Amino acid sequence: VNLEGDIKFTTLWLNLLYKGVKNKKYKKNGKKIIFTQNKDYDEVFENIDIRNEVLKSKEFDNCTFKNCKFNVITFQFCKLTVCIFENCDLSLIIIKGSIFNDVNIINSKAIGINWSLCGQPYSMSFTNSNISMSSFSQVDLRHSNIISCIAHEIDFYKTNLEKVNFSNTDLLNSTFGDTNLKNTDLTSAVNYMI
């Protein structure tokens, strides 16, 4: 019997087990998924399915969310900086006082969201996503991109869309009342009326 070798192996195994538990950023509590930390940096979250929950005062910096479902989730006083949502469903999320700074939503659904409830600063880009039936009323979207999106029935009332790129975006029944469109690129957008 090699007692010294067995002790080293057991110590190594326990350290790996502890590290795995320590680094787990969310856990299941019954059907609920609870993020275990208030601040997450440089993390990739995959295949998370959260519905009808409140995430309060959470910070996500340089995080990527892949294939996640956040339906009817409330982001309350959260801060998301340099984050990517890819192949996600964010439909009907509520964003009370949360900050979205340099957030990219790619190949996702973000339907029925009142983005005007966001805190400042605000910087978003949407690519190949469905963002229909949402409101950006009175939001400063300067220099943002809304590219190859379905953007039906969007409320852009008093929105600052200066230098926004709407390439290949379908804006059917979207409203633009008292909207800043200075240097906005609508050249390949379709179904809009101004």
Side-chain angles (χ1 to χ4, degrees):
V1 174
N2 182 356
L3 189 56
E4 186 177 323
D6 288 343
I7 291 171
K8 284 182 184 178
F9 175 78
T10 303
T11 304
L12 176 65
W13 183 81
L14 287 173
N15 284 337
L16 288 172
L17 179 64
Y18 173 73
K19 184 178 179 185
V21 170
K22 180 182 168 191
N23 289 336
K24 184 130 178 150
K25 301 299 179 183
Y26 59 92
K27 65 180 179 178
K28 284 191 175 185
N29 182 5
K31 288 190 174 185
K32 283 183 163 182
I33 294 178
I34 303 165
F35 285 88
T36 58
Q37 299 184 29
N38 285 334
K39 296 180 183 181
D40 285 299
Y41 302 98
D42 302 317
E43 294 294 334
V44 176
F45 298 98
E46 294 185 79
N47 303 310
I48 296 174
D49 188 346
I50 306 176
R51 298 165 196 258
N52 301 309
E53 297 293 332
V54 176
L55 296 178
K56 188 172 182 178
S57 302
K58 303 287 185 187
E59 290 186 31
F60 299 96
D61 191 356
N62 198 35
C63 291
T64 300
F65 300 86
K66 294 182 178 183
N67 303 309
C68 295
K69 291 182 182 179
F70 294 124
N71 299 116
V72 198
I73 290 297
T74 300
F75 286 94
Q76 189 171 6
F77 306 111
C78 293
K79 184 176 180 181
L80 292 88
T81 306
V82 192
C83 290
I84 297 171
F85 290 89
E86 188 173 351
N87 297 312
C88 292
D89 187 352
L90 303 168
S91 296
L92 300 174
I93 64 169
I94 300 165
I95 44 178
K96 294 180 180 178
S98 292
I99 295 172
F100 285 71
N101 193 23
D102 196 12
V103 173
N104 293 291
I105 297 177
I106 304 165
N107 298 320
S108 296
K109 283 175 36 178
I111 298 171
I113 299 171
N114 186 354
W115 295 101
S116 61
L117 297 175
C118 273
Q120 297 292 334
Y122 189 91
S123 174
M124 300 275 301
S125 288
F126 302 90
T127 306
N128 200 35
S129 295
N130 187 341
I131 61 170
S132 296
M133 295 179 275
S134 295
S135 176
F136 292 94
S137 180
Q138 301 183 38
V139 172
D140 189 349
L141 284 175
R142 239 180 313 196
H143 308 286
S144 295
N145 293 307
I146 301 176
I147 298 173
S148 299
C149 289
I150 298 170
H152 297 176
E153 300 181 45
I154 300 288
D155 177 9
F156 289 115
Y157 179 72
K158 289 190 175 183
T159 304
N160 186 353
L161 296 174
E162 183 177 346
K163 296 184 180 178
V164 172
N165 182 353
F166 281 102
S167 294
N168 301 311
T169 293
D170 184 352
L171 294 160
L172 183 69
N173 295 326
S174 291
T175 56
F176 298 86
D178 200 17
T179 303
N180 180 0
L181 295 169
K182 183 178 178 182
N183 298 316
T184 300
D185 184 359
L186 291 161
T187 53
S188 62
V190 296
N191 296 322
Y192 63 92
M193 290 179 55
I194 297 176

